[in-house]
Amino acid sequence: GSILKPLNVYVPALESGYKINSIVPDEVRSYGENNYRPENWNFQYQGKLPLWQALALSKNTSAVWLMNQVGVNKSMKKLDDFGIPYGQEDLSLASALGGLTNGVSPIQMASAYTTFANNGKRSEAYFITKIIGPNGKEIVHEQAPKQKNVISPELAKQMTSMMLAVYDGQYTGAICEPAGYQVAGKTGTVELTLGDKNLAGY
């Protein structure tokens, strides 16, 4: 879902010269031969707004517009650095909203998001760091995670500052109420159909 937007929309946009305060449109538009017309999740539109607010409010219209401006192939290519798999069939503007054919696992997303906390370096995720036996000795030694430079430290700071707003007051993550903690991240919703049941996750 929309948790993909920072990776394949907003990072490529910032790398292409957009700033966190750049003004972007928030209105329904048609794209391509198939007249793809994305709408916002709450069907509310502001006309124009700054880039950081488009992310904080999870504006679908702004995300698709940005990917169209940057270019679908260039935007999706950034997912390679983040370790997110995708196929040829995913090279479309719908991917700006997280519409990947085969989806992404939670551990792949967690690894991708380490980039923002690690000054632009992505850490490969692993489950066990060390195990201490009953006598206090290490059975499995802690290992340093494999890391890859994905974005510049400055861009990581910019993205983190944008994602801090997600959990502030009126924005999409405010309901999570991270009391006592400063949290940066992105909300997202996906729908999964199992038989005759639709399951939506936030």
Side-chain angles (χ1 to χ4, degrees):
S2 290
I3 60 172
L4 206 63
K5 289 175 182 174
L7 311 179
N8 71 339
V9 174
Y10 288 94
V11 163
L14 291 173
E15 288 183 331
S16 296
Y18 286 89
K19 308 298 182 187
I20 62 175
N21 288 316
S22 294
I23 301 301
V24 296
D26 173 27
E27 58 190 18
V28 178
R29 297 185 179 197
S30 295
Y31 297 90
E33 297 175 1
N34 297 325
N35 287 320
Y36 176 55
R37 289 174 58 86
E39 297 180 338
N40 291 331
W41 63 274
N42 58 2
F43 304 106
Q44 294 181 12
Y45 307 90
Q46 295 179 218
K48 294 180 180 179
L49 74 174
L51 194 76
W52 70 266
Q53 195 173 46
L55 174 65
L57 290 170
S58 202
K59 294 289 189 176
N60 292 338
T61 55
S62 303
V64 171
W65 182 86
L66 277 166
M67 180 178 275
N68 190 58
Q69 293 296 305
V70 173
V72 172
N73 289 345
K74 182 177 179 180
S75 294
M76 293 298 288
K77 182 71 176 167
K78 196 64 191 178
L79 292 183
D80 294 336
D81 292 334
F82 282 112
I84 302 298
Y86 61 94
Q88 191 70 26
E89 66 276 14
D90 296 320
L91 297 178
S92 73
L93 291 174
S95 296
L97 312 183
L100 298 182
T101 304
N102 293 317
V104 181
S105 74
I107 198 167
Q108 288 170 322
M109 288 305 302
S111 175
Y113 268 71
T114 63
T115 304
F116 305 120
N118 290 337
N119 293 314
K121 294 181 179 179
R122 178 175 68 86
S123 295
E124 287 189 18
Y126 60 93
F127 290 106
I128 298 173
T129 57
K130 63 181 175 181
I131 299 173
I132 306 295
N135 60 1
K137 293 184 178 180
E138 286 190 14
I139 299 172
V140 175
H141 296 283
E142 188 170 12
Q143 63 186 53
K146 295 178 182 177
Q147 293 188 321
K148 175 182 180 178
N149 287 315
V150 175
I151 57 178
S152 70
E154 179 57 32
L155 203 155
K157 286 181 182 178
Q158 291 175 12
M159 282 302 306
T160 299
S161 70
M162 288 172 63
M163 292 191 293
L164 282 168
V166 171
Y167 296 92
D168 181 32
Q170 64 198 356
Y171 301 110
T172 59
I175 193 173
C176 298
E177 298 180 0
Y181 296 93
Q182 191 176 43
V183 177
K186 180 71 186 76
T187 56
T189 303
V190 294
E191 189 172 287
L192 175 64
T193 301
L194 295 176
D196 59 351
K197 295 182 180 180
N198 287 328
L199 307 175
Y202 194 69

